[in-house]
Amino acid sequence: MLRAPLIPKHPNGCPYLQLAPMEGVGDRCFRKAMASIGGFDEAVRDFIRVPKNAHIPSLAAEYQADELAPIPLAAQLMGSDPELMAMAAQAMESQGALRIDVNCGCPSNTVTGRGAGSSLLKDPNFLLEVGLAVVQAVSIPVTIKMRSGFEDTSLFKENLLAAQETGVRYITLHPRTKADGYGPPARWDLIAEAKSILRIPVVGNGDILTVENALEMLRLTRCDALMIGRGSVINPFIFHQIKAHFSKKTYQPQWADLIRYFNVYLEEMPPDMHMKSKVCKLKQLLGFFFKGNAQLLNFRNDVLRSQYLDPNDLMDYALPILKEHLRGLSSSSQEAHNQRDQEDDEENPK
């Protein structure tokens, strides 16, 4: 007997919206910055690697269930040893995880060379073994995030059915193969095919960069929810914009929210991180953000090639560019922000 779907539905028809795990981009800094803006219903932590010599207590310490409270944060595990994956899942459950996601999608050669990530898609029977071990080890829901195949999609149906057979509550599908990397367009037709094959829900992921993309994926695939990764780095307001569409309201991004987003990102950088690394991280974030606006795109290379040694100095350089050229942010919000700055200066004279 099938359990009730884990994915809730918004009354106005808006799909459940998830912030995707993204290696190298979607770390704690980014998640906290996005949570300061909000709009998404749930986030998935970037994967926690479970190596052959895994020290389970150390892995458990990498996950904090209340990191984004009140927004839930799922734990994602990546490994190829069924027993260790099961033990890691139990550790995440003891840390308060509400959901465990099994990574069957990472295309990194370092990962796949160790038999993890999208390597699990080479053998549906092994995918079944790993998935079953995790599902049977915990009482909380388990899900799987997968690609459409390793070298090709020849085992696509077999992998889907194996994943379903594990007892996971739903599958998130990024419809590119490992060989595709992030290059060719995501094949949304495969999400539609997965919906026709499976009895459990399917979350659509891949190439959702705009509200229009989100609506088109829903129309073409009939998927049960949306997971957005790169689109949220380019436009951190995308979740609010999607929800506004279904609410038949106009969403006006606020300058104060954008300022807070960048400030939180800077504040959450590890204090022991080298200053040069902090500057590089901020450049990465700004590089994505400047991609999302035709006006800002002209200044992207200037920002990326700048020689600032402190991330705060880089931010001081970028903010006037954002203020002058960003369209769609509330001017009244900018005035309110400036007023707050003035009040802060009066209360805390330098």
Side-chain angles (χ1 to χ4, degrees):
M1 180 178 176
L2 287 177
R3 291 165 290 188
L6 178 67
I7 305 175
K9 301 286 185 184
H10 289 287
N12 61 8
C14 182
Y16 195 67
L17 301 176
Q18 298 180 333
L19 179 65
M22 293 175 284
E23 183 185 12
V25 181
D27 59 4
R28 176 186 169 90
C29 298
F30 177 70
R31 290 193 299 272
K32 293 284 281 187
M34 283 297 300
S36 75
I37 291 177
F40 53 99
D41 300 302
E42 184 182 1
V44 182
R45 189 197 184 281
D46 48 328
F47 65 74
I48 295 173
R49 194 188 303 268
V50 186
K52 298 290 186 182
N53 60 346
H55 182 252
I56 301 302
S58 298
L59 294 183
E62 294 183 31
Y63 172 77
Q64 288 83 42
D66 61 352
E67 179 188 291
L68 306 180
I71 302 171
L73 176 68
Q76 188 182 77
L77 298 176
M78 185 180 68
S80 58
D81 185 303
E83 183 178 355
L84 287 173
M85 287 286 282
M87 293 171 63
Q90 290 172 339
M92 297 303 136
E93 183 176 27
S94 70
Q95 287 287 97
L98 299 177
R99 174 167 72 91
I100 303 290
D101 193 54
V102 179
N103 183 310
C104 298
C106 182
S108 165
N109 290 333
T110 303
V111 168
T112 57
R114 293 181 170 87
S118 55
S119 278
L120 295 178
L121 303 175
K122 291 180 177 180
D123 183 354
N125 291 324
F126 188 54
L127 188 160
L128 175 61
E129 183 182 352
V130 172
L132 269 175
V134 175
V135 170
Q136 294 174 355
V138 296
S139 60
I140 57 177
V142 177
T143 56
I144 282 178
K145 187 172 190 289
M146 61 185 288
R147 285 185 169 238
S148 54
F150 193 79
E151 293 292 344
D152 53 42
T153 60
S154 58
L155 293 174
F156 179 61
K157 183 175 181 179
E158 289 83 354
N159 282 322
L160 286 174
L161 293 175
Q164 179 172 261
E165 193 176 339
T166 66
V168 295
R169 298 289 291 275
Y170 62 79
I171 290 169
T172 302
L173 179 60
H174 181 108
R176 290 184 173 96
T177 65
K178 185 273 182 197
D180 288 336
Y182 298 95
R187 287 190 53 188
W188 292 354
D189 61 297
L190 293 177
I191 300 176
E193 185 176 340
K195 276 293 296 176
S196 71
I197 292 171
L198 298 172
R199 303 187 309 274
I200 59 177
V202 176
V203 178
N205 171 233
D207 290 356
I208 304 174
L209 305 181
T210 65
V211 175
E212 291 72 26
N213 292 155
L215 299 177
E216 187 69 357
M217 178 183 280
L218 291 168
R219 185 184 70 82
L220 291 176
T221 71
R222 306 298 182 197
C223 61
D224 300 279
L226 299 176
M227 175 176 278
I228 303 176
R230 185 164 45 107
S232 65
V233 193
I234 293 172
N235 173 17
F237 300 106
I238 189 170
F239 295 107
H240 280 298
Q241 291 167 345
I242 292 171
K243 286 186 172 178
H245 169 84
F246 283 92
S247 297
K248 298 186 179 350
K249 296 178 180 177
T250 300
Y251 176 76
Q252 183 68 41
Q254 301 295 303
W255 177 253
D257 289 338
L258 186 64
I259 293 294
R260 184 172 61 252
Y261 168 79
F262 284 117
N263 283 342
V264 170
Y265 189 83
L266 290 171
E267 291 164 2
E268 291 295 331
M269 287 186 182
D272 58 346
M273 179 182 285
H274 192 278
M275 198 65 73
K276 184 176 181 180
S277 298
K278 290 184 177 182
V279 171
C280 289
K281 271 184 67 66
L282 181 58
K283 280 187 177 181
Q284 181 188 48
L285 187 72
L286 289 169
F288 273 104
F289 190 84
F290 274 58
K291 267 186 179 181
N293 181 282
Q295 298 291 326
L296 293 176
L297 192 58
N298 296 325
F299 298 89
R300 184 171 182 267
N301 285 338
D302 294 338
V303 171
L304 296 180
R305 292 171 182 167
S306 64
Q307 299 298 311
Y308 292 98
L309 302 178
D310 186 298
N312 290 294
D313 293 338
L314 173 58
M315 203 67 241
D316 287 343
Y317 168 69
L319 278 178
I321 300 174
L322 292 171
K323 242 181 202 182
E324 183 176 355
H325 297 282
L326 204 58
R327 298 292 179 261
L329 292 187
S330 167
S331 58
S332 61
S333 176
Q334 291 191 38
E335 291 167 5
H337 175 72
N338 292 337
Q339 178 65 29
R340 280 193 294 273
D341 281 350
Q342 182 179 342
E343 292 170 354
D344 288 343
D345 289 341
E346 291 171 354
E347 291 176 9
N348 303 289
K350 294 182 175 63

